[in-house]
Amino acid sequence: MNNNHEKIHQHNQIFGKKTELYFAILSGVFLSIGFLVEKATEFPNWIPSLCYLFAYFFGGYFISIEAFQKLTKGGFDIDFLMIAAAVGAAYIGSWPEGALLLFLFSLGHALESHAMNKAKKSIEALGHLSPKSAVVKRNGKLEEIAIEELKIGDVIVVKPNTKIAADGVVISGSSSVNQAPITGESMPVDKTFMAFSGNLPKLNEVDKKHIVFTGTINGDHMLEVIVLKLSMDSSVSRLIKMVSEVEAQKSPTQRLTLKFEKWYVPIVILVVFLLCFAYLIIDESFEESLYRAITVLVAASPCALAISTPSAVLSGIARAAQKGVLIKGGKALEDLGSITSIAFDKTGTLTEGKPKLTNVIPFLNYDEIAFVKLVLEVESLSNHPLAKAIAHDIKTQYQIVPQNKASDVKAMHGMGVKAFYNADEVFIGNVKLMHISNIEVTEHVISKMGNLLDNGHTVMLVAYQHQIIGLISVMDTPRKSAASTLRKLKEIGIKHMIMLTGDHQNVGDAIGRQIGLTEVKGNLLPEDKVEAIKTLLQRDKKIAMVGDGVNDAPAMALSTVSVAMGAAGSDVALETADVALMSDKIERLPFVIGLSRASKRIIKQNIFISLGVVVLLVPVTILGLTNIGLAVIFHEGSTLVVVLNALRLLRYETN
């Protein structure tokens, strides 16, 4: 639905929002009464004529205003063709046919408007998610204030089973939160509090388990949340703003049909004008030539074509938004549907994004529990991210806590750590650390390390009392859903799935084998990823790039379609990506690609239907083989079919 039509509709709401639909129905009612009175009674002729006149008024009201406004700007469009056809029908005395034309056209217009509004409302419903007020904790007291009065740094109290009033970080309490309105996740997500030191954290630097979003619904426990974004900057507000802008980004097919209409409408007007004078060449009256010309005018109007693409695009975008996926316009929707190659960032996209303890291997018959206790004591005193990950996983897997038996932990840059445990030296790190510490690394140890390194693990040797007593390994493990997602992508026809990573090639290859990638490119700097995308574009013509929208922005910008994961709360991801998966779930990818393909399919069907009817009707009407009534029914019927076909996308589900 174009913006001009919306403005006209807003300024003429006699019966509220459905005024246009009621006018169309009144047109049909007066048309039916006029027809019945004319055919079935002996009433004077002025009665059915008056009914047809009312049918003309109600059927032509909105489209006449719109056509006039466009005409004053020098534009001829479909509305103008319809008004011209109706006036022509009245001129030759075919009042019932003209009234039927206006009734069906106005009904099509109204249903088109309804279809568009339904698609928009399913997105704009997000705007009603934000609560109108929030309970704020100030000076130890609770007070309820309007959402607009919230300030960054305020602490809001979220009661059980109520909506969260702002984007922020949980600083007290733990609860499960229903994030479906923002991310489309069907299951509630556990949120826990973060220790708060006084300095406001940045939202994109906080673990997602501590972050809550405006409009999401708290579970059974009370939370205290520190506000980090005002309502106008929240994820939900940004989402609504971006959805309202997607219509401006027309799809390639839409741009093509608009170009076609620009030339087609004046040609139709010229042909119809010439047909009015067919009586000069063939044996018929001026009235017959005029009737034929008006019938051709009805048949040739590309109403269904005009609505075929925008209705499908908007329905597709609306369906994606219901599932927590923001598609920015028709171009991204159509492009994604034609993709057969996808490049993935590794960390946080195909993998969990944080190292996990993968192997604990004691040597020399060393007791495993004693071994992990020693490692835990040392690593729990280090601030290195790998040390923190190892300490966390040992505590979780072995259910033990440090006893503060280690001391004097010293980081050995690029090699590991050195410490004292029960008055003896401990070294945890790489082979180089062992060599400079005069600790022998046997062939057996090298062999054990080699197997793990080949499979992408980061390996650390553990030495105590001047001998190696075991090794531990960590790895950024694949997401649980990665393998099944890639399998589904392969099933729906994605031929090339490539991982681009800055990690060592061995690490990439190991993960690639586990989850079923077709290619892995390792040791890549950000500029190398850009070159990799250029190479893939030359080979595959089109490529989608999936990442977090931050680290890989240059490579994503170069790709045909960029897809950002976990975009809720990330300004950069929302702004740079063509498609934003609001949740952190890679398994949404097959759904959104399937939806894009369904949208492309429906756009093609709609264009085939709309052009097919025009191609069929125009020759038939030029040859005078049908009357204006049948032309109207076929023509407007195709418009309704196209709209209803597009609305099917609102119920799209993956197989």
Side-chain angles (χ1 to χ4, degrees), residues 280-523:
L280 297 172
I281 299 166
I282 58 175
D283 183 22
E284 66 180 13
S285 66
F286 170 67
E287 281 74 18
E288 287 170 327
S289 290
L290 188 61
Y291 186 90
R292 185 204 307 271
I294 290 161
T295 309
V296 170
L297 184 58
V298 172
S301 296
C303 309
L305 183 67
I307 189 61
S308 60
T309 309
S311 58
V313 165
L314 201 56
S315 294
I317 288 169
R319 180 60 182 148
Q322 288 170 351
K323 289 282 191 176
V325 181
L326 175 63
I327 301 176
K328 294 191 194 167
K331 185 178 185 306
L333 184 73
E334 284 198 35
D335 282 346
L336 195 59
S338 59
I339 291 291
T340 56
S341 297
I342 303 177
F344 296 90
D345 173 39
K346 177 184 84 77
T347 309
T349 301
L350 293 173
T351 64
E352 294 290 350
K354 45 193 178 219
K356 293 268 185 192
L357 182 66
T358 48
N359 285 281
V360 171
I361 304 173
F363 298 149
L364 309 170
N365 297 319
Y366 209 91
D367 178 67
E368 185 176 337
I369 299 299
F371 177 67
V372 293
K373 278 182 177 175
L374 180 151
V375 173
L376 175 62
E377 293 292 339
V378 174
E379 297 288 38
S380 60
L381 296 179
S382 171
N383 285 321
H384 193 281
L386 284 183
K388 285 183 173 179
I390 292 164
H392 173 271
D393 288 355
I394 288 176
K395 286 180 203 171
T396 308
Q397 290 174 28
Y398 292 89
Q399 300 293 305
I400 53 176
V401 291
Q403 304 293 318
N404 300 318
K405 291 182 179 179
S407 60
D408 299 332
V409 172
K410 183 182 175 187
M412 309 292 285
H413 187 65
M415 294 183 285
V417 293
K418 171 187 174 185
F420 281 90
Y421 178 75
N422 290 341
D424 279 311
E425 277 188 316
V426 176
F427 299 91
I428 303 177
N430 56 22
V431 172
K432 191 176 179 184
L433 177 63
M434 301 301 142
H435 283 159
I436 67 161
S437 307
N438 296 315
I439 295 167
E440 184 190 359
V441 182
T442 64
E443 286 297 323
H444 172 68
V445 171
I446 295 287
S447 168
K448 282 275 184 189
M449 280 184 72
N451 288 336
L452 292 171
L453 288 168
D454 287 344
N455 286 303
H457 298 259
T458 299
V459 181
M460 280 152 281
L461 299 171
V462 181
Y464 181 52
Q465 295 173 335
H466 283 283
Q467 61 180 343
I468 292 172
I469 61 167
L471 62 79
I472 52 176
S473 71
V474 294
M475 189 181 185
D476 183 6
T477 53
R479 285 173 177 266
K480 291 186 176 71
S481 56
S484 60
T485 300
L486 295 188
R487 197 162 52 247
K488 280 180 191 166
L489 288 172
K490 192 176 178 184
E491 285 167 9
I492 63 171
I494 302 297
K495 294 173 186 170
H496 305 287
M497 291 174 281
I498 310 105
M499 182 165 77
L500 307 179
T501 178
D503 275 356
H504 193 278
Q505 187 70 39
N506 280 357
V507 175
D509 287 339
I511 289 168
R513 282 193 297 273
Q514 287 179 58
I515 61 178
L517 288 162
T518 54
E519 285 175 67
V520 174
K521 295 180 186 290
N523 303 313

Side-chain angles (χ1 to χ4, degrees), residues 251-311:
S251 74
T253 311
Q254 209 168 341
R255 284 199 295 269
L256 201 64
T257 53
L258 285 170
K259 271 186 195 169
F260 173 76
E261 282 173 42
K262 193 177 172 184
W263 289 97
Y264 179 77
V265 171
I267 290 168
V268 168
I269 293 169
L270 181 63
V271 169
V272 167
F273 178 74
L274 293 173
L275 281 170
C276 291
F277 301 99
Y279 72 95
L280 297 172
I281 299 166
I282 58 175
D283 183 22
E284 66 180 13
S285 66
F286 170 67
E287 281 74 18
E288 287 170 327
S289 290
L290 188 61
Y291 186 90
R292 185 204 307 271
I294 290 161
T295 309
V296 170
L297 184 58
V298 172
S301 296
C303 309
L305 183 67
I307 189 61
S308 60
T309 309
S311 58

Side-chain angles (χ1 to χ4, degrees), residues 1-13 20 62 66 113 116-117 120 124 247 314:
M1 208 63 218
N2 59 47
N3 291 337
N4 196 34
H5 179 76
E6 283 179 8
K7 284 173 190 166
I8 292 162
H9 188 69
Q10 284 163 7
H11 291 304
N12 294 277
Q13 293 192 343
E20 190 178 10
F62 282 101
E66 193 169 338
S113 176
M116 293 302 200
N117 287 336
K120 281 181 189 168
E124 287 170 357
E247 281 186 278
L314 201 56

Side-chain angles (χ1 to χ4, degrees), residues 525-569:
L525 296 169
E527 55 267 33
D528 298 328
K529 290 186 181 181
V530 172
E531 288 304 313
I533 291 290
K534 282 182 183 172
T535 307
L536 291 167
L537 278 168
Q538 284 176 349
R539 186 190 76 182
D540 302 331
K541 306 302 179 234
K542 288 184 177 181
I543 189 157
M545 170 85 186
V546 184
D548 61 10
V550 182
N551 306 331
D552 301 304
M556 290 176 79
L558 187 64
S559 62
T560 316
V561 187
S562 55
V563 182
M565 283 182 52

Side-chain angles (χ1 to χ4, degrees), residues 590-605:
F591 164 79
V592 74
I593 290 173
L595 175 65
S596 300
R597 289 182 177 177
S599 302
K600 267 183 81 87
R601 207 161 44 241
I602 281 179
I603 287 168
K604 282 179 183 171
Q605 289 168 4

Side-chain angles (χ1 to χ4, degrees), residues 40-184:
T41 70
E42 300 296 325
F43 290 140
N45 286 340
W46 67 266
I47 295 176
S49 296
L50 187 64
C51 289
Y52 294 142
L53 200 60
F54 276 122
Y56 260 67
F57 171 77
F58 287 113
Y61 181 78
F62 282 101
I63 50 180
S64 297
I65 297 169
E66 193 169 338
F68 177 74
Q69 286 193 355
K70 285 194 181 159
L71 207 56
T72 56
K73 293 173 186 171
F76 292 107
D77 75 343
I78 297 150
D79 297 323
F80 174 78
L81 296 185
M82 289 293 103
I83 295 296
V87 170
Y91 178 77
I92 58 172
S94 298
W95 284 89
E97 287 91 341
L100 177 66
L101 169 66
L102 289 176
F103 161 58
L104 287 173
F105 187 65
S106 61
L107 184 64
H109 238 241
L111 288 175
E112 174 193 327
S113 176
H114 173 69
M116 293 302 200
N117 287 336
K118 189 173 179 183
K120 281 181 189 168
K121 276 176 188 170
S122 65
I123 300 165
E124 287 170 357
L126 291 168
H128 305 301
L129 290 174
S130 306
K132 299 289 179 276
S133 61
V135 177
V136 183
K137 198 175 188 181
R138 285 180 180 164
N139 304 319
K141 293 180 182 175
L142 298 183
E143 56 178 294
E144 191 166 334
I145 62 168
I147 200 92
E148 293 78 19
E149 293 173 37
L150 275 178
K151 297 184 183 72
I152 288 173
D154 275 345
V155 174
I156 57 172
V157 175
V158 187
K159 293 175 182 173
N161 305 309
T162 60
K163 284 182 180 177
I164 293 166
D167 286 13
V169 170
V170 179
I171 57 168
S172 174
S174 297
S175 187
S176 60
V177 173
N178 177 2
Q179 296 193 150
I182 302 292
T183 63

Side-chain angles (χ1 to χ4, degrees), residues 131-249:
K132 299 289 179 276
S133 61
V135 177
V136 183
K137 198 175 188 181
R138 285 180 180 164
N139 304 319
K141 293 180 182 175
L142 298 183
E143 56 178 294
E144 191 166 334
I145 62 168
I147 200 92
E148 293 78 19
E149 293 173 37
L150 275 178
K151 297 184 183 72
I152 288 173
D154 275 345
V155 174
I156 57 172
V157 175
V158 187
K159 293 175 182 173
N161 305 309
T162 60
K163 284 182 180 177
I164 293 166
D167 286 13
V169 170
V170 179
I171 57 168
S172 174
S174 297
S175 187
S176 60
V177 173
N178 177 2
Q179 296 193 150
I182 302 292
T183 63
E185 291 165 279
S186 55
M187 297 298 290
V189 179
D190 290 336
K191 300 289 178 180
T192 57
F193 69 90
M194 185 181 87
F196 182 58
S197 59
N199 294 325
L200 283 177
K202 288 185 179 174
L203 205 61
N204 58 354
E205 292 174 0
V206 177
D207 192 308
K208 292 252 172 111
K209 68 184 178 187
H210 306 309
I211 299 172
V212 290
F213 302 112
T214 305
T216 55
I217 302 154
N218 187 20
D220 295 333
H221 301 281
M222 191 174 289
L223 297 175
E224 286 185 14
V225 175
I226 190 158
V227 176
L228 294 187
K229 281 192 181 179
L230 301 177
S231 61
M232 68 191 80
D233 299 318
S234 68
S235 284
V236 68
S237 297
R238 296 175 66 79
L239 199 57
I240 294 158
K241 181 174 174 283
M242 284 174 172
V243 166
S244 67
E245 291 168 357
V246 296
E247 281 186 278
Q249 300 181 34

